[in-house]
């Protein structure tokens, strides 16, 4: 994970701030377009799962795929390879986003990071409490974390539809909030959705991490040299009983932020730039296609399942805005923080509404929380409904907010 993946060669004279802004603009562009692709994939999954060809939908994802290395044979369904293997690349990009933001972005200074951190915390606690208020029963309470995360691609994509009238600092606030949400979601998965941990697996993962550090120390520049140790880290997490996708976060966080050659962008920027389009346009839509196909024909909202749908949906479309806006107001009111220039309370309201778009991470956590297919389908339905309401309300208020901004500029 060093310098040799294709990326942008930036001249030495380009200042660090301009380089960071260029990377941010590229990131936002990819996320905005991918949000539309993600929406199309989710709609296609719903239509397919409720069509006369619904059996083919489920048969496809249950198709066994074999990995064979000599006498070693590893057989898992296509669903596993998408959710547990390909999504590791998604988490790798998440880890690198976090690493880059800590080094030179929104989290590099405490006074810049504290407000979105507090807002994200409110956007996690309130939805979890709303969900649990409907689902205290054993089994259903496992889904408390489902509505706590924000889907970056969808949220940024909806924001992009509102045009350039939305102030830049509002976009940065939303992006920082969503990234912090991802950090919290990763910690929640690691702490609350792992069981039966095997120390031997952690030893294997640690060996893979040491191999990565060793290759970095020796100056290996080709990203392909890191594939084998990355696979060892992934396999170690799988053996340990931790969800193997978290290996991506670990590898992302240890990707170098400084380049050995000053005229070339750092590895964390180059690798993320190379992988991000693949994640945004291929892996995430494929994940949506494989997991958003809730069949309404066989859906049974009974035995408490209806409360899972209600809890998830309400926590996303109402709990997220209440938590984000409330925590932001409290932080500003007490004098701990100040709103960035150009960010009004109308903009904070827009951020809160868009934060209710859970989708990718929410569905991912739902699959970890529930082994009962009825509860899982109910949770997915709640995610889809809550996210749809958040998109609709976000677009509605966003259009009004954008119009006010245009009038303010005109005046």
């Amino acid at each position: 994970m060093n310098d040799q993946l294709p990326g942008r060669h930036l001249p030495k004279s380009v200042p660090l701030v301009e380089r960071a802004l260029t990377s941010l603009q590229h990131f936002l562009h990819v996320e905005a377009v991918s949000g539309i692709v993600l929406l199309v994939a989710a709609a296609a999954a719903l239509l397919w799962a409720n069509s006369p060809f619904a059996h083919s939908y489920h048969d496809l994802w249950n198709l066994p795929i074999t990995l064979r290395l000599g006498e070693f044979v590893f057989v898992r369904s296509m669903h596993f390879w998408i959710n547990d293997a390909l999504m590791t690349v998604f988490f790798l990009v998440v880890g690198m986003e976090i690493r880059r933001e800590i080094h030179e972005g929104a989290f590099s200074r405490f006074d810049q990071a504290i407000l979105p951190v507090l807002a994200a915390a409110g956007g996690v606690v309130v939805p979890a409490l709303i969900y649990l208020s409907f689902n205290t029963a054993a089994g259903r309470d496992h889904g408390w974390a489902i509505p706590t995360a924000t889907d970056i691609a969808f949220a940024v994509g909806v924001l992009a539809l509102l045009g350039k009238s939305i102030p830049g600092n509002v976009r940065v606030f939303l992006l920082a909030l969503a990234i912090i949400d991802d950090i919290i979601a990763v910690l929640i998965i690691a702490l609350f959705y792992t069981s039966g941990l095997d120390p031997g697996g952690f030893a294997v993962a640690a060996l893979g991490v040491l191999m990565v550090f060793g290759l970095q120390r020796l100056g290996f520049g080709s990203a392909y040299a890191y594939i084998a140790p990355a696979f060892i880290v992934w396999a170690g997490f799988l053996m340990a009983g931790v969800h193997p996708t978290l290996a991506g976060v670990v590898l992302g966080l240890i990707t170098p932020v400084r380049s050995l050659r000053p005229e070339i962008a750092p590895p964390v920027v180059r690798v993320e730039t190379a992988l991000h389009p693949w994640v945004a346009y291929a892996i995430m839509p494929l994940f949506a296609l494989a997991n958003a196909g809730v069949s309404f024909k066989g859906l049974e909202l009974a035995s408490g399942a209806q409360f899972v749908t209600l809890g998830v949906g309400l926590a996303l479309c109402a709990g997220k805005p209440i938590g984000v806006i409330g925590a932001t107001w409290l932080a500003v009111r007490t004098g701990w923080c100040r709103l960035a220039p150009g960010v009004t309370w109308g903009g904070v309201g827009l951020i809160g509404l868009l934060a209710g778009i859970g989708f990718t991470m929410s569905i991912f956590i739902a699959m970890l929380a529930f082994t009962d297919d009825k509860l899982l389908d109910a949770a997915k339905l709640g995610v889809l409904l809550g996210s749809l309401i958040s998109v609709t309300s976000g677009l509605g208020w966003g259009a009004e907010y954008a119009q006010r901004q245009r009038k303010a500029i005109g005046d």
Side-chain angles (χ1 to χ4, degrees):
M1 293 184 185
N2 249 315
D3 291 329
Q4 299 303 317
L5 266 179
R8 295 186 176 182
H9 290 259
L10 299 172
K12 188 175 181 179
S13 60
V14 176
L16 183 62
V17 174
E18 185 175 341
R19 180 183 296 176
L21 288 175
T22 300
S23 178
L24 176 62
Q25 289 171 355
H26 178 266
F27 176 86
L28 290 173
H29 173 73
V30 173
E31 290 291 354
V33 178
S34 71
I36 299 173
V37 178
L38 204 58
L39 179 61
V40 172
L46 283 172
L47 291 174
W48 190 359
N50 290 278
S51 72
F53 308 100
H55 66 281
S56 66
Y57 176 84
H58 300 287
D59 290 344
L60 174 63
W61 309 122
N62 290 323
L63 187 69
I65 296 179
T66 302
L67 175 64
R68 187 185 300 274
L69 295 173
E71 296 183 357
F72 174 77
V73 178
F74 188 71
V75 182
R76 290 293 187 276
S77 67
M78 185 181 294
H79 204 267
F80 170 88
W81 290 111
I82 293 172
N83 293 353
D84 293 44
L86 284 181
M87 285 297 284
T88 303
V89 183
F90 164 79
F91 279 98
L92 173 63
V93 172
V94 169
M96 287 189 288
E97 289 168 8
I98 296 169
R99 182 73 179 94
R100 183 168 52 82
E101 291 295 326
I102 291 174
H103 177 65
E104 62 181 14
F107 310 144
S108 60
R109 289 174 49 188
F110 180 79
D111 58 344
Q112 292 178 338
I114 187 61
L115 186 56
V117 166
L118 293 174
V124 168
V125 172
V126 175
L129 292 176
I130 288 178
Y131 176 87
L132 288 173
S133 68
F134 291 96
N135 295 280
T136 55
R140 300 205 314 265
D141 59 345
H142 291 168
W144 64 270
I146 295 172
T148 59
T150 298
D151 190 298
I152 298 178
F154 259 140
V156 174
V158 171
L159 197 62
L161 294 176
L162 297 172
K164 296 183 179 180
S165 299
I166 305 299
N169 278 339
V170 172
R171 299 173 188 271
V172 173
F173 194 157
L174 176 62
L175 181 61
L177 174 71
I179 292 175
I180 295 167
D181 263 2
D182 279 347
I183 297 173
I184 296 174
V186 167
L187 292 175
I188 288 174
I189 292 171
L191 295 175
F192 298 99
Y193 292 101
T194 55
S195 59
L197 300 181
D198 180 2
F202 286 114
V204 172
L207 174 63
V209 171
L210 288 175
M211 290 174 65
V212 170
F213 282 130
L215 291 173
Q216 290 176 356
R217 185 76 174 178
L218 293 172
F220 277 79
S222 174
Y224 300 105
Y226 296 86
I227 294 177
F231 177 78
I232 292 174
V233 176
W234 180 85
F237 273 64
L238 183 65
M239 293 168 57
V242 177
H243 204 277
T245 53
L246 295 181
V249 179
V250 173
L251 293 168
L253 290 174
I254 63 176
T255 303
V257 293
R258 292 183 175 86
S259 178
L260 297 177
R261 299 168 59 187
E263 71 275 10
I264 298 178
V268 71
V269 174
R270 292 173 55 79
V271 178
E272 182 186 353
T273 301
L275 292 179
H276 192 202
W278 290 97
V279 170
Y281 300 139
I283 294 176
M284 289 176 64
L286 186 58
F287 174 84
L289 187 63
N291 294 284
V294 178
S295 175
F296 300 123
K297 296 177 183 178
L299 190 64
E300 296 182 13
L301 294 181
S303 302
Q306 70 273 24
F307 294 111
V308 172
T309 299
L310 179 61
V312 171
L314 192 61
L316 282 172
C317 68
K320 270 290 188 180
I322 293 172
V324 169
I325 298 170
T328 303
W329 179 87
L330 185 62
V332 173
R333 182 73 174 178
T334 55
W336 295 347
C337 308
R338 292 184 299 174
L339 295 178
V343 179
T344 64
W345 286 108
V348 174
L350 176 60
I351 292 169
L353 291 171
L354 296 181
I357 306 174
F359 201 71
T360 304
M361 192 66 81
S362 293
I363 291 179
F364 190 86
I365 294 176
M367 292 187 298
L368 299 179
F370 296 126
T371 55
D372 186 314
D373 289 340
K374 293 180 180 179
L375 293 180
L376 178 57
D377 284 345
K380 288 182 179 180
L381 181 59
V383 171
L384 294 174
L385 291 175
S387 297
L388 179 60
I389 294 172
S390 296
V391 169
T392 304
S393 58
L395 283 173
W397 172 246
E400 173 67 21
Y401 174 68
Q403 186 176 5
R404 292 182 183 181
Q405 290 296 116
R406 285 192 292 269
K407 286 182 178 179
I409 294 174
D411 294 339

